[in-house]
Amino acid sequence: MKLYPIEAGNFKLDGGAMFGVVPKALWERTNPADEKNRVEMATRSLLIEDEERLILIDTGMGNKQGDSFFVHYGLWGEHSLDHSLAKAGFHRDDITDVFFTHLHFDHCGGAIQRSKSGVLSPAFKNATFWVHESHWKWATNPNLREKASFLPENIMPLQESGQLNLIKGKGPFLENTGLPFSVFLADGHTEKQMLPLIEYKGEKVFYAADLIPTVGHIPIPYIMGYDTRPLLSLDEKTLFLEKALLENAFLLLEHDPHHELISLQKTDKGIRLKEHFNFDYYFNS
């Protein structure tokens, strides 16, 4: 097996929304805001090369929306999904599986492309798309709080393609899929977010997705305003961080543009950042 972090593009989100009730004077120590109160964000996917399978976890937001959509998100930097795949030696058509932690637009938008004539189709024509069944029901009948994050143009073409595979149950539930990882289920941010837990080169790597999007979100009370069940997020973060610390595991951060791979330590203030690393340097140097 080989792992490749895939930088799918950078954007910005309102810092207050990203940190909920936490005062700006605290969260801006780790996540400084621009003049519009926006903090810098990454969309960092993970590519798993495992025998004959090439599995992509999340796809970023893609580029099929127009300027009227992207103007709100302050796109910045030079990263793109295609460029990052090519840098790793692959092409979209090589991907055999796309695994979604959840279907918010910044995690799944890159899976669907729009032709010049406006036709929507899968950007990964040879891939199976994996979504949790309960999350699929949640995303296709969205609540008002999340409706702006579940875009029909990202979601319905997955079903129409015939490439969608729904994962059922509360876990463990991947035994018959052949996917080379286990999953931590979290319901605080959205229904049945799936966080892959991967054993790699004698270490454990947890893909933290939106449970812990940046290093600034490691403290337990630092919960996003986007979370639908913030009190549940508190319990899930506690369990997840304690599990990671107990197993001496790394976290791969999906949304932190400046911290790719991190380790944790126990302090008198709780679990906190220990060190951060470049993924390739740590595992391949």
Side-chain angles (χ1 to χ4, degrees), residues 202-213:
E203 308 275 8
K204 291 190 176 181
V205 179
F206 293 2
Y207 189 77
D210 275 354
L211 185 61
I212 304 173

PDB file of all heavy atoms in Angstrom, residues 202-213:
ATOM      1  N   GLY A 202       3.652   0.628   9.503  1.00  0.00           N
ATOM      2  CA  GLY A 202       3.816   0.441  10.938  1.00  0.00           C
ATOM      3  C   GLY A 202       3.224   1.544  11.786  1.00  0.00           C
ATOM      4  O   GLY A 202       3.363   1.519  13.017  1.00  0.00           O
ATOM      5  N   GLU A 203       2.590   2.501  11.190  1.00  0.00           N
ATOM      6  CA  GLU A 203       1.959   3.609  11.904  1.00  0.00           C
ATOM      7  C   GLU A 203       0.454   3.595  11.628  1.00  0.00           C
ATOM      8  O   GLU A 203      -0.030   2.879  10.751  1.00  0.00           O
ATOM      9  CB  GLU A 203       2.536   4.959  11.445  1.00  0.00           C
ATOM     10  CG  GLU A 203       4.038   5.056  11.492  1.00  0.00           C
ATOM     11  CD  GLU A 203       4.563   5.459  12.872  1.00  0.00           C
ATOM     12  OE1 GLU A 203       3.753   5.509  13.829  1.00  0.00           O
ATOM     13  OE2 GLU A 203       5.767   5.716  12.990  1.00  0.00           O
ATOM     14  N   LYS A 204      -0.281   4.414  12.378  1.00  0.00           N
ATOM     15  CA  LYS A 204      -1.704   4.600  12.111  1.00  0.00           C
ATOM     16  C   LYS A 204      -1.950   6.045  11.718  1.00  0.00           C
ATOM     17  O   LYS A 204      -1.421   6.965  12.339  1.00  0.00           O
ATOM     18  CB  LYS A 204      -2.541   4.213  13.326  1.00  0.00           C
ATOM     19  CG  LYS A 204      -2.522   2.713  13.600  1.00  0.00           C
ATOM     20  CD  LYS A 204      -3.533   2.302  14.634  1.00  0.00           C
ATOM     21  CE  LYS A 204      -3.552   0.786  14.802  1.00  0.00           C
ATOM     22  NZ  LYS A 204      -4.551   0.353  15.807  1.00  0.00           N
ATOM     23  N   VAL A 205      -2.747   6.214  10.684  1.00  0.00           N
ATOM     24  CA  VAL A 205      -3.091   7.537  10.168  1.00  0.00           C
ATOM     25  C   VAL A 205      -4.607   7.655  10.155  1.00  0.00           C
ATOM     26  O   VAL A 205      -5.288   6.833   9.531  1.00  0.00           O
ATOM     27  CB  VAL A 205      -2.528   7.762   8.750  1.00  0.00           C
ATOM     28  CG1 VAL A 205      -2.933   9.144   8.232  1.00  0.00           C
ATOM     29  CG2 VAL A 205      -1.008   7.616   8.746  1.00  0.00           C
ATOM     30  N   PHE A 206      -5.123   8.649  10.834  1.00  0.00           N
ATOM     31  CA  PHE A 206      -6.556   8.905  10.862  1.00  0.00           C
ATOM     32  C   PHE A 206      -6.855  10.117   9.987  1.00  0.00           C
ATOM     33  O   PHE A 206      -6.260  11.176  10.173  1.00  0.00           O
ATOM     34  CB  PHE A 206      -7.023   9.206  12.287  1.00  0.00           C
ATOM     35  CG  PHE A 206      -6.940   8.043  13.247  1.00  0.00           C
ATOM     36  CD1 PHE A 206      -6.438   6.816  12.865  1.00  0.00           C
ATOM     37  CD2 PHE A 206      -7.376   8.199  14.552  1.00  0.00           C
ATOM     38  CE1 PHE A 206      -6.360   5.761  13.754  1.00  0.00           C
ATOM     39  CE2 PHE A 206      -7.300   7.156  15.456  1.00  0.00           C
ATOM     40  CZ  PHE A 206      -6.795   5.933  15.058  1.00  0.00           C
ATOM     41  N   TYR A 207      -7.738   9.953   9.031  1.00  0.00           N
ATOM     42  CA  TYR A 207      -8.165  11.057   8.168  1.00  0.00           C
ATOM     43  C   TYR A 207      -9.268  11.796   8.913  1.00  0.00           C
ATOM     44  O   TYR A 207     -10.387  11.301   9.066  1.00  0.00           O
ATOM     45  CB  TYR A 207      -8.647  10.494   6.842  1.00  0.00           C
ATOM     46  CG  TYR A 207      -8.925  11.523   5.771  1.00  0.00           C
ATOM     47  CD1 TYR A 207      -7.883  12.124   5.072  1.00  0.00           C
ATOM     48  CD2 TYR A 207     -10.231  11.869   5.431  1.00  0.00           C
ATOM     49  CE1 TYR A 207      -8.140  13.047   4.058  1.00  0.00           C
ATOM     50  CE2 TYR A 207     -10.492  12.786   4.425  1.00  0.00           C
ATOM     51  CZ  TYR A 207      -9.442  13.373   3.743  1.00  0.00           C
ATOM     52  OH  TYR A 207      -9.692  14.289   2.742  1.00  0.00           O
ATOM     53  N   ALA A 208      -8.963  13.015   9.373  1.00  0.00           N
ATOM     54  CA  ALA A 208      -9.813  13.681  10.364  1.00  0.00           C
ATOM     55  C   ALA A 208     -11.010  14.408   9.774  1.00  0.00           C
ATOM     56  O   ALA A 208     -11.920  14.788  10.518  1.00  0.00           O
ATOM     57  CB  ALA A 208      -8.968  14.655  11.197  1.00  0.00           C
ATOM     58  N   ALA A 209     -11.029  14.648   8.456  1.00  0.00           N
ATOM     59  CA  ALA A 209     -12.164  15.268   7.764  1.00  0.00           C
ATOM     60  C   ALA A 209     -12.674  16.491   8.530  1.00  0.00           C
ATOM     61  O   ALA A 209     -11.886  17.356   8.911  1.00  0.00           O
ATOM     62  CB  ALA A 209     -13.252  14.234   7.512  1.00  0.00           C
ATOM     63  N   ASP A 210     -13.991  16.561   8.787  1.00  0.00           N
ATOM     64  CA  ASP A 210     -14.556  17.738   9.435  1.00  0.00           C
ATOM     65  C   ASP A 210     -14.790  17.561  10.929  1.00  0.00           C
ATOM     66  O   ASP A 210     -15.377  18.433  11.567  1.00  0.00           O
ATOM     67  CB  ASP A 210     -15.878  18.126   8.758  1.00  0.00           C
ATOM     68  CG  ASP A 210     -15.660  18.995   7.533  1.00  0.00           C
ATOM     69  OD1 ASP A 210     -14.507  19.377   7.281  1.00  0.00           O
ATOM     70  OD2 ASP A 210     -16.640  19.283   6.826  1.00  0.00           O
ATOM     71  N   LEU A 211     -14.320  16.447  11.501  1.00  0.00           N
ATOM     72  CA  LEU A 211     -14.352  16.345  12.960  1.00  0.00           C
ATOM     73  C   LEU A 211     -13.281  17.240  13.556  1.00  0.00           C
ATOM     74  O   LEU A 211     -13.509  17.945  14.539  1.00  0.00           O
ATOM     75  CB  LEU A 211     -14.146  14.894  13.397  1.00  0.00           C
ATOM     76  CG  LEU A 211     -14.266  14.635  14.897  1.00  0.00           C
ATOM     77  CD1 LEU A 211     -15.650  14.989  15.402  1.00  0.00           C
ATOM     78  CD2 LEU A 211     -13.949  13.175  15.220  1.00  0.00           C
ATOM     79  N   ILE A 212     -12.091  17.234  12.927  1.00  0.00           N
ATOM     80  CA  ILE A 212     -11.000  18.127  13.321  1.00  0.00           C
ATOM     81  C   ILE A 212     -10.410  18.683  12.024  1.00  0.00           C
ATOM     82  O   ILE A 212      -9.424  18.163  11.500  1.00  0.00           O
ATOM     83  CB  ILE A 212      -9.934  17.390  14.157  1.00  0.00           C
ATOM     84  CG1 ILE A 212     -10.590  16.749  15.371  1.00  0.00           C
ATOM     85  CG2 ILE A 212      -8.827  18.362  14.603  1.00  0.00           C
ATOM     86  CD1 ILE A 212      -9.675  15.868  16.175  1.00  0.00           C
ATOM     87  N   PRO A 213     -10.993  19.734  11.489  1.00  0.00           N
ATOM     88  CA  PRO A 213     -10.562  20.232  10.177  1.00  0.00           C
ATOM     89  C   PRO A 213      -9.193  20.892  10.166  1.00  0.00           C
ATOM     90  O   PRO A 213      -8.474  20.807   9.174  1.00  0.00           O
ATOM     91  CB  PRO A 213     -11.664  21.227   9.798  1.00  0.00           C
ATOM     92  CG  PRO A 213     -12.309  21.608  11.090  1.00  0.00           C
ATOM     93  CD  PRO A 213     -12.202  20.411  11.973  1.00  0.00           C
TER      94      PRO A 213
END
